[in-house]
Amino acid sequence: MGPWFDYTVNGLVVGNIYALLAVGLALIFGVANLINFAHGSVFTVGAYLGWTALHYLHTPLPVTILLVAAGSAVVGVAIERFALRPLNHRSRIAPLLATIGVSLVLDQAVQLIFSPDPRALPSQLPDWRLPIGGVTIGALDLLIAGVGLTSAALLFGFLRFSKLGWAVRATAQDPDAASQMGVDTNRINAVVFAIASALGGVGGLLVGMFYNSIDTTMSFDATLKGMVAMLLGGLGNVPGAIAGGLILGLAESYGIALFGTSYRNLFAFALLILILMVAPNGLFSRRRELPPEPMTGTFVAPSRPLRLPRPALAAIVVVAALFPLVWNQPYVLQTLTNALLMALLAFSLTLVSGTVGQISLGHAGLLAIGGYASGLLALDHGWPFVASVPAAGLSTAILGTLMVLPALRMTGHYVAIATLGVGEIVSLVILNWTGLTRGPMGLSGIPIPAIGPIELDTPRALYWVVLVLVVLLGLLQVRLLSSHLGRTWRAIREDEVAARAYGVEPLRYKAMAFAFGGFGAGIAGAIAAHLYSYINHETFNTQLSILAITVVILGGLGNVLGAVLGAVLLVALPEIFRAAAEYRMLIYGIALLLLIRYRPQGLLGTI
Amino acid sequence: MMASLLEITGLTRHFEGITAVDGIDLAVQEGELVSVIGPNGAGKSTLFNVISGLDRPDAGGVRLDGVDITGRSPEKLARLGLARTFQHGRVFANLSVLDNVLVGTHARLAAVRPGWRGFGPLGELLLAVVRPGAVRREEAALRSEAEAILARFGDRLVPRLDHPAYSLSYANRRRVELARALALRPRLLMLDEPTAGMNETETTEMEEVIAALKATGLTILLIEHKLDMVMRLSDRVLAMDDGHSIAEGAPATVRDHPAVVEAYLGHPANQRTAVA
Amino acid sequence: MSFSRRSFLAASLAAGCTALTAVRSRAEEPILVGVSGPLTGPNAQYGAQWKAGFDLALDQINAAGGRPFQYVFEDSQSDPRQSVTIAQKFVNDPRILAELGDFSSPASMAASPIYNRGKLLQLGITNSHPDYTKSGDYTWSNCLSQDDEQPSLANFVIEGLGRKKVAVLHLNTDWGVACRDRFVESAKAAGATIVATEGFQSGERDFRSTLVRIRDAGPDAIVIEAYYADAAVIVRQVHELGLKQVIAGVVSIYSPKFIELAGDDAEGTYTQGYFFPGEQRSEVQAFVTAFRAKYGQDPDWFNATAYDGLIFISRIVNQFGASREAIHEGIAKIKDLPSAVFGKATFDPTSRRVSAPHFVRLVVKDGKFAAWDGQKPKAI
């Protein structure tokens, strides 16, 4: 048997792991209509619970699995009870942010308790390996596959044939109707989180044993791969999730076989986007159907935005401009400059995700395009800062919009994960296109920002330049929002079907928003590149995209001033908590959760 | 006989095993008001979705003014002058009353959508920022037109121009929806249960508005449960049950058609509305 | 920024061991060294390794008497946005006389221009990016560039272990690529063929398909250019696949954690170290003994290089004086610094890195790193 057989076996073995993750995510999505970003963290928690049980109690494997399942289920119920239930019916998007906050808190807590050092988690299974073709599979591989398939089968049976399962399905279809029929939807949600989290935790335990290594950085990768697998199978489709996981595993394995290891993720994400273009609802969902007409509620919760009178706005700008004259403290100015650069990115994202309602989880990719465009123009072609930055803005507008077009054809949560994929693709193309981007070596020696002969080498000068850009681009965006584009974009967000019935071409207007936003984000990326002097494919990563969406939700969707406020808060908070050292990201996570809890529509409200 | 404005032939749509719309034929003449009645689940809304391009038929065709529009996208149909409302009302909740109606004018925007070959979206973006005189004048004209449409509903909406739609009463949201449809200057207006959830006074008001629209010569396709209103307003009535057409013709004839009586009485849940 | 410190003093106290509270409890104004590195985030484990090294160095420096030494560890998460603000903070705090870090290249090199403009010495303790020290006259590193290490590793694999067909599996980062390029160059010069090079991304754990690809290229040795945690996962999967090739790895896999994580599969893995606990050089022995006494385990390279960084600064201060300029002047002039990594180290003022040291060839034997006995492994 040839190597292709080996690649297939390997792909299936890894695909099992993705499937296990995807099943839990699909279950939660199916019922709560929520992408649970904390799922990967529960996976990590499960691995560490298992380590604790093994290390201190020397439990045999079945007992360890039971303990981990129970412990993870408790974590899941706690997430539902304390982070999500209080948000019920407030806004569709606040729960997403809450799960991001929970994942931050869980990861940090694990890191503090167990130290960030990786730990060995020895497998308790016999060490035999079964040769198949040119490769081998072991007892753990079979156990992981068994757990995945059994749990999917059990879940399927539970949902189909038990009374509780019937209630779960009813809740998934229409929570309001279900609760009118006497279904305790809170209890159902708790049950679902318990089951999904138990699965996630056991997954973490088994995968940790599989590699004999667990650490706190597993969470994000687990969430990412699990989401992709779930999306391939069709959001919320439990059996589809298993197939999606296997397909993802095979895609990666074949990607390695065809192009080499460094193309693994690029191949997988490109395939994801391709599949979604052909089958926009995943591979295993039924054919196109009109979504049921909404009885109530739309994308965003009703909100009364806080509007500042013009003189107050002008006063804020004046204070911000004069501030460095009074307090020329480089550390504070650098922090504020970072916050303002974040605000430029947030403008773009609050337009796309807030005003037009297309959640983008790959927005940092736009910064990367802008940063590389300006950096390469300056380094390879000697362009001055004042020319390379606007050129970077334009290139980002064009390239970014073209890349994201397939994602914009999709709806709802598919857009979110597809844009996440696009963001990863940008970073992976930069990594692999060594001829243009210098690959992993990154761009070093990018000249410092300069306007003509004046080098902006003080924090104060750069602060002013970025402040001017924030004010200009902010005003421009506000002006656009007051034009016919503002109401057209918001109409798409509120109800795309109704908007289309009145002649609005959604793709055209989404693309326009993306292009305008891309211009600003490209400029922000370009300035950051010149400020840092060195960038590589990891400088603008998905974590930054997630931070940006947090800024946008915190400030208030579509709210330009809110974007600035959110950026200043989220960039400044970790600085303020700096003295807390290792504890600061934990405190930050808790602060974030409290903010969402008490202000789900954002600080300044949705516009 | 002149060509019908709307002509439907053999329209069929299946969903997993059930046939929601089964070989419906219907022709609507210019200036006519035709009502579609039938018990819940008869396929009326699916018929509307298929005509208005939100859903595609599995068989059959739709012609508007002689042009085959089967399967065209809703945004293209809007530009051809087809406007509709939705069964449960779909207003843009966080947009003001006025903005909701202005979205209705979208298909008619001209000055701000220059249609530069290949650069249309870019031009639109630039014009939205710069706003030359022509764009400002167009916007002002549409705005006063929208206000005039809202004035059709007396004092119900005029004092609430800047209120977000989610703050309105249910009846007012339905009015906003109708106003938005009128802002399209439709050639064919399709109303899906415009008086659902309204009390008697509100229903009477709505009936008056629809009658006034009919009087202006507007062609209207209406789905409605309140039969006495249907009797008063309609030129012709189509009755549906289980996706089929069970009767078609003059209002009184259809009302007394045995199949129609049976369809309503055979569905106890609808008995009350049938009698009402 | 004192406002933030005061308001979070409570939190710091809870943390118990932050450098800051320690600073406040001392009567005499201490000499401060700033550290910018990851305490949270994906690279937090390396920040924690540094801290262990720093704390040991601090114990020894302060036990020797004189003006007390202290470090201020600011968490950057290895994020350039945060490392630049930290740089501004350090540069503008006159009490800080030198800076160590950051960890990743984007974070470290983004901060370099600020340190150079602010004339504050930035000593990179783990920075091997070839362009790192090119940022300016104030950016130095006690981490070798791969120009020294990889030829030695290639020599070990080809001359020492007698391999001719090599597959390279490397972390696809600036560091891993620099490792790969230097290794490939030297190996080819020594007459070996490179049958495959495969770059993987950090965080990847599944190498089965990569190893099938490598297997089919038919190497007689697999060289791993990665950190210890990744390397441990790789050697396990090499054995699971049933591959019998010789495995050799770069210095950074030399860590007790490698053996813990790889278990029995670590056996027979070759590597080299600038330092090795079994080694007899007195500087190394002193460090290893002290580290074991304080932490109850063997140190690894990250502990040692961090320890060195702080010790170097204290030696320079003792000899040239406690000011930023004196330290900058001294680092170029000082000779034969005692080093846990190198034994003795001297900086080259042109490359601003330490000059070529010698390497110890190691092999994992009976669950421990042991000096290689010169025995060539059997051909497969």
Side-chain angles (χ1 to χ4, degrees), chain A residues 205-260:
Chain A
L205 170 74
L206 296 179
V207 172
M209 286 184 168
F210 187 68
Y211 295 121
N212 188 36
S213 169
I214 57 173
D215 64 63
T216 46
T217 60
M218 312 189 308
S219 309
F220 183 72
D221 243 32
T223 308
L224 187 68
K225 292 288 168 73
M227 281 191 320
V228 171
M230 166 175 75
L231 194 65
L232 285 174
L235 283 175
N237 180 340
V238 170
I242 296 264
L246 296 178
I247 289 170
L248 179 61
L250 286 174
E252 289 187 1
S253 189
Y254 293 148
I256 292 172
L258 289 171
F259 305 108

Side-chain angles (χ1 to χ4, degrees), chain B residues 6 26 32 43 61 63 74 116 119 158 190 195 212 226 234 244:
Chain B
L6 178 73
L26 178 69
E32 231 186 345
R63 298 173 87 82
W116 304 344
F119 292 94
V158 173
M190 299 169 61
T195 67
K226 291 170 181 159
S234 311
H244 302 281

Side-chain angles (χ1 to χ4, degrees), chain B:
Chain B
M1 191 179 107
M2 61 175 276
S4 314
L5 180 65
L6 178 73
E7 198 177 327
I8 300 164
T9 42
L11 210 60
T12 303
R13 177 75 172 105
H14 309 284
F15 294 118
E16 308 174 46
I18 53 161
T19 306
V21 174
D22 194 352
I24 296 286
D25 298 308
L26 178 69
V28 182
Q29 311 302 322
E30 191 99 44
E32 231 186 345
L33 192 154
V34 176
S35 293
V36 182
I37 61 166
N40 285 337
K44 305 184 297 292
S45 287
T46 306
L47 178 70
F48 261 40
N49 285 342
V50 174
I51 296 173
S52 62
L54 288 174
D55 204 348
R56 280 168 204 224
D58 294 306
V62 186
R63 298 173 87 82
L64 187 70
D65 208 6
V67 183
D68 184 6
I69 57 161
T70 318
R72 283 211 197 168
S73 68
E75 47 269 39
K76 286 198 178 120
L77 295 180
R79 244 168 286 148
L80 292 178
L82 191 147
R84 67 164 293 182
T85 66
F86 294 87
Q87 189 178 4
H88 301 293
R90 292 179 96 149
V91 291
F92 304 116
N94 277 298
L95 262 63
S96 69
V97 168
L98 189 62
D99 274 348
N100 263 284
V101 180
L102 282 170
V103 172
T105 68
H106 185 86
R108 296 197 280 129
L109 290 174
V112 79
R113 291 169 53 107
W116 304 344
R117 193 167 278 279
F119 292 94
L122 189 63
E124 191 174 342
L125 209 54
L126 286 176
L127 288 173
V129 172
V130 180
R131 288 189 220 163
V135 170
R136 285 202 305 272
R137 280 192 296 278
E138 184 184 55
E139 184 75 8
L142 291 176
R143 193 167 284 260
S144 42
E145 191 182 325
E147 286 173 17
I149 293 172
L150 287 165
R152 280 180 179 273
F153 301 97
D155 275 347
R156 296 286 192 183
L157 293 171
V158 173
R160 300 187 171 83
L161 289 183
D162 293 327
H163 290 209
Y166 68 76
S167 68
L168 300 178
S169 70
Y170 187 72
N172 263 342
R173 287 189 221 174
R174 305 309 305 264
R175 295 186 184 107
V176 169
E177 235 201 330
L178 179 56
R180 183 177 67 186
L182 292 174
L184 186 97
R185 284 199 194 150
R187 300 184 58 198
L188 174 67
L189 177 64
M190 299 169 61
L191 301 173
D192 195 345
E193 291 196 49
T195 67
M198 287 189 175
N199 65 26
E200 246 171 74
T201 331
E202 290 162 347
T203 306
T204 315
E205 270 182 44
M206 184 56 92
E207 186 181 333
E208 280 163 14
V209 171
I210 296 173
L213 290 172
K214 187 188 170 197
T216 65
L218 185 59
T219 315
I220 299 173
L221 192 59
L222 172 73
I223 294 181
E224 187 50 70
H225 273 306
K226 291 170 181 159
L227 283 188
D228 40 357
M229 176 172 151
V230 169
M231 293 304 124
R232 285 193 293 272
L233 284 174
S234 311
D235 297 315
R236 273 185 309 128
V237 173
L238 167 74
M240 286 177 73
D241 191 21
D242 283 335
H244 302 281
S245 158
I246 50 173
E248 195 202 325
T253 327
V254 170
R255 180 189 54 196
D256 300 331
H257 194 286
V260 176
V261 176
E262 141 77 25
Y264 274 94
L265 295 179
H267 296 72
N270 295 303
Q271 221 162 339
R272 215 170 49 84
T273 29
V275 180

Side-chain angles (χ1 to χ4, degrees), chain A residues 66-119:
Chain A
L66 282 179
L67 281 177
V68 168
S72 309
V74 170
V75 174
V77 171
I79 294 174
E80 196 280 326
R81 179 65 191 84
F82 297 111
L84 296 174
R85 194 180 299 177
L87 302 175
N88 258 354
H89 309 299
R90 301 283 282 281
S91 144
R92 282 275 188 79
I93 180 165
L96 184 87
L97 187 50
T99 64
I100 293 175
V102 168
S103 99
L104 207 58
V105 168
L106 285 180
D107 285 352
Q108 291 305 316
V110 169
Q111 205 169 84
L112 284 169
I113 297 170
F114 294 96
S115 96
D117 230 13
R119 279 164 199 255

